[in-house]
């Protein structure tokens, strides 16, 4: 049993070492870059943050909450890695949930007006506002809209863009008597 445990540990260590070598050769990111490491493309799970360190065994990230976390290099080498550092403008989106009692055309017009008034959203690049469909949340059925845009604000500072966006949406909806429905974020557990 002891030999089996050592073999398993050696396999993981060797896998991380090979992953580290792959990262050093390919250099998909460097210290200071803002990256997203997808752990499961089907579920959309991802680790996101600023690269603080890379060694032969692990990659260290700091997220927007200033939490440090370590990812084994074997996982980083196998994952889809998005490097946001050199990808300006950044494509971003938000989901808006509204009661289906409201006319879709009115909601789309208000969302368009809100996006057009956001100074941090690039007005010269394509914006999209689409109706995704109905979503059941608890006992409510809500219409889900997806609003997509480009911004020159870095991904880590995206809270500024989202704050401006949500303030504009709230102002527009409030004038029309439309209530924004709150939908808690659904997070997977690991």
């Amino acid at each position: 049993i002891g030999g089996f445990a050592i073999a398993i540990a050696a396999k993981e260590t060797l896998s991380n070492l090979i992953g580290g070598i792959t990262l050093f050769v390919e250099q998909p990111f460097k210290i200071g870059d803002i990256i997203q490491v997808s752990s499961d493309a089907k579920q959309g799970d991802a680790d996101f943050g600023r690269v603080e360190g890379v060694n032969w065994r692990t990659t260290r990230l700091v997220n927007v909450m200033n939490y440090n976390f370590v990812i084994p290099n074997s996982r980083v080498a196998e994952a889809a890695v998005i490097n946001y550092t050199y990808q300006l403008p950044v494509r971003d989106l938000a989901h808006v949930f509204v009661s289906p009692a409201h006319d879709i055309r009115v909601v789309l017009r208000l969302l368009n007006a809100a996006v057009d008034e956001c100074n941090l959203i690039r007005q010269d690049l394509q914006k999209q506002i689409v109706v995704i469909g109905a979503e059941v949340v608890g006992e409510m059925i809500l219409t889900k809209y997806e609003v997509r845009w480009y911004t020159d604000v870095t991904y880590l500072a995206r809270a500024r863009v989202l704050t401006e966006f949500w303030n504009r949406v709230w102002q527009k909806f409030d004038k029309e008597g439309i209530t924004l429905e709150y939908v808690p974020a659904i997070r997977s557990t690991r």
Side-chain angles (χ1 to χ4, degrees):
I1 294 180
F4 182 70
I6 291 171
I8 294 290
K11 177 186 171 275
E12 287 185 29
T13 301
L14 185 60
S15 180
N16 287 327
L17 179 65
I18 292 170
I21 292 169
T22 302
L23 292 176
F24 281 104
V25 169
E26 292 181 1
Q27 297 182 347
F29 52 83
K30 64 183 187 323
I31 293 178
D33 284 359
I34 309 301
I35 66 169
Q36 176 179 316
V37 180
S38 297
S39 57
D40 185 347
K42 291 179 186 171
Q43 300 225 346
D45 292 343
D47 292 313
F48 176 83
R50 185 179 63 251
V51 178
E52 290 291 309
V54 181
N55 61 35
W56 292 106
R57 195 179 70 76
T58 61
T59 298
R60 222 171 4 94
L61 301 178
V62 174
N63 67 11
V64 293
M65 300 295 290
N66 209 29
Y67 295 135
N68 288 290
F69 53 101
V70 177
I71 306 171
N73 283 339
S74 59
R75 195 178 119 220
V76 177
E78 293 174 2
V81 176
I82 299 172
N83 189 334
Y84 290 102
T85 305
Y86 302 106
Q87 295 184 359
L88 289 178
V90 172
R91 176 83 174 194
D92 205 356
L93 62 89
H95 290 121
V96 179
F97 294 87
V98 178
S99 167
H102 299 289
D103 186 335
I104 289 174
R105 292 170 300 199
V106 171
V107 174
L108 289 171
R109 179 178 51 80
L110 295 173
L111 289 172
N112 265 305
V115 170
D116 288 345
E117 291 180 11
C118 289
N119 296 320
L120 296 174
I121 291 176
R122 293 274 305 260
Q123 300 300 322
D124 60 327
L125 296 175
Q126 182 184 12
K127 302 167 286 232
Q128 291 179 313
I129 302 171
V130 294
V131 180
I132 300 295
E135 192 162 309
V136 177
V137 180
E139 308 252 337
M140 298 187 307
I141 297 175
L142 301 174
T143 304
K144 181 178 181 180
Y145 298 83
E146 186 169 280
V147 183
R148 304 175 194 142
W149 63 78
Y150 287 95
T151 181
D152 288 326
V153 175
T154 63
Y155 200 81
L156 274 182
R158 70 188 288 251
R160 290 178 25 224
V161 180
L162 290 170
T163 299
E164 182 184 26
F165 169 75
W166 285 112
N167 281 331
R168 303 283 187 195
V169 169
W170 182 83
Q171 290 169 358
K172 300 289 181 198
F173 280 28
D174 188 52
K175 281 184 183 176
E176 293 285 330
I178 297 175
T179 304
L180 281 169
E181 303 295 342
Y182 172 72
V183 178
I186 300 170
R187 300 219 179 252
S188 63
T189 56
R190 292 185 208 189

